[in-house]
Amino acid sequence: MTIRVVLVDDQPVVRAGLRMLIADIADIDVVGEAGTGADAVRLVDELGPDVVVMDIRMPVMDGIEATRIITAKSPASRVIVLTTFDEDENVYGALRAGAAGFLVKDMVLEDIIAAIRVVSVGDALIAPAVTRRLIRDFADRPPTPTRPRRPIEGITDREREVLILIARGLSNAEIAAELYITMATTKSHVARLLSKLTARDRIHLVITAYEANLV
């Protein structure tokens, strides 16, 4: 099955570069491009792509507002925000708007392609560096007295180990290497954690781990 992708960035050279890099990927097809958030909303409504690769800072309508509209009107079209994280502090806004992924532009092509595949099947993926940033911000917040710490029950010792490593910002590949297990086994553990803890994505797993004082 071919993954249909729309590229959204106000810089034509960026869109052209991504299109050229993706052109040789057999299971991914770029079906459209947009230079503003408003154009992206119209294009997604017209084409119904599987994945939208979205920049944040654009004229007319920024990527966060476009993501909010797209995820509300076309929930089957999953949005990956691809931006320069060091210059853009809108990660929380993008995730609140419903983005299924948040990547930085200096990531290698293989990681961007992997993210497109991951979100196309309903999962979420956040760049490890971004996850670590979220973890630091979360850890720096003062505790809320009215929200007691929740114990985590119903998971195995190995799943608890995986959850702790997720909360530390490790990717699946890094978790597999840390625990000397295969990628397939790692993915199975993550999938079971998402199911058992009724978490929407990895970010929710991170929050759950911190609320349980696992990290």
Side-chain angles (χ1 to χ4, degrees):
M1 177 180 171
T2 300
I3 304 169
R4 303 171 67 251
V5 175
V6 163
L7 303 177
V8 185
D9 197 294
D10 64 331
Q11 298 183 39
V13 66
V14 174
R15 299 199 308 269
L18 283 171
R19 179 186 281 274
M20 289 178 60
L21 292 172
I22 293 174
D24 294 331
I25 308 299
D27 62 332
I28 300 177
D29 183 24
V30 177
V31 296
E33 298 179 21
T36 71
D39 288 342
V41 171
R42 287 192 292 268
L43 199 58
V44 170
D45 189 52
E46 175 186 340
L47 299 176
D50 301 302
V51 177
V52 182
V53 179
M54 179 83 71
D55 189 21
I56 286 185
R57 293 181 174 176
M58 295 180 292
V60 183
M61 179 189 294
D62 67 24
I64 291 178
E65 181 61 22
T67 297
R68 183 177 295 110
I69 295 172
I70 289 170
T71 56
K73 292 179 59 179
S74 308
S77 295
R78 308 274 287 172
V79 178
I80 296 175
V81 169
L82 179 64
T83 188
T84 305
F85 183 71
D86 289 341
E87 300 175 359
D88 200 323
E89 298 299 326
N90 291 317
V91 57
Y92 291 108
L95 296 175
R96 283 194 297 266
F102 196 102
L103 307 179
V104 289
K105 288 181 178 178
D106 60 358
M107 293 180 68
V108 298
L109 174 64
E110 288 78 6
D111 289 338
I112 295 174
I113 297 302
I116 291 173
R117 290 175 176 144
V118 165
V119 303
S120 73
V121 296
D123 291 332
L125 191 147
I126 311 295
V130 178
T131 303
R132 285 187 278 269
R133 170 68 176 270
L134 294 175
I135 290 169
R136 286 196 301 270
D137 287 352
F138 186 86
D140 288 342
R141 295 176 186 175
T144 304
T146 58
R147 191 171 186 178
R149 299 292 182 176
R150 298 182 302 166
I152 294 179
E153 300 175 349
I155 65 174
T156 67
D157 290 340
R158 176 61 90 184
E159 289 165 353
R160 191 177 300 271
E161 288 180 304
V162 171
L163 179 59
I164 290 170
L165 294 179
I166 290 173
R168 290 175 178 167
L170 273 66
S171 66
N172 283 352
E174 291 169 330
I175 292 171
E178 179 78 15
L179 299 179
Y180 299 100
I181 57 179
T182 66
M183 276 287 289
T185 300
T186 302
K187 290 177 181 178
S188 294
H189 286 314
V190 174
R192 284 195 290 269
L193 284 168
L194 289 168
S195 176
K196 290 180 177 181
L197 302 179
T198 60
R200 186 181 65 189
D201 50 40
R202 290 177 84 95
I203 295 301
H204 283 191
L205 289 179
V206 171
I207 293 171
T208 298
Y210 268 88
E211 289 181 337
N213 283 326
L214 291 183
V215 180

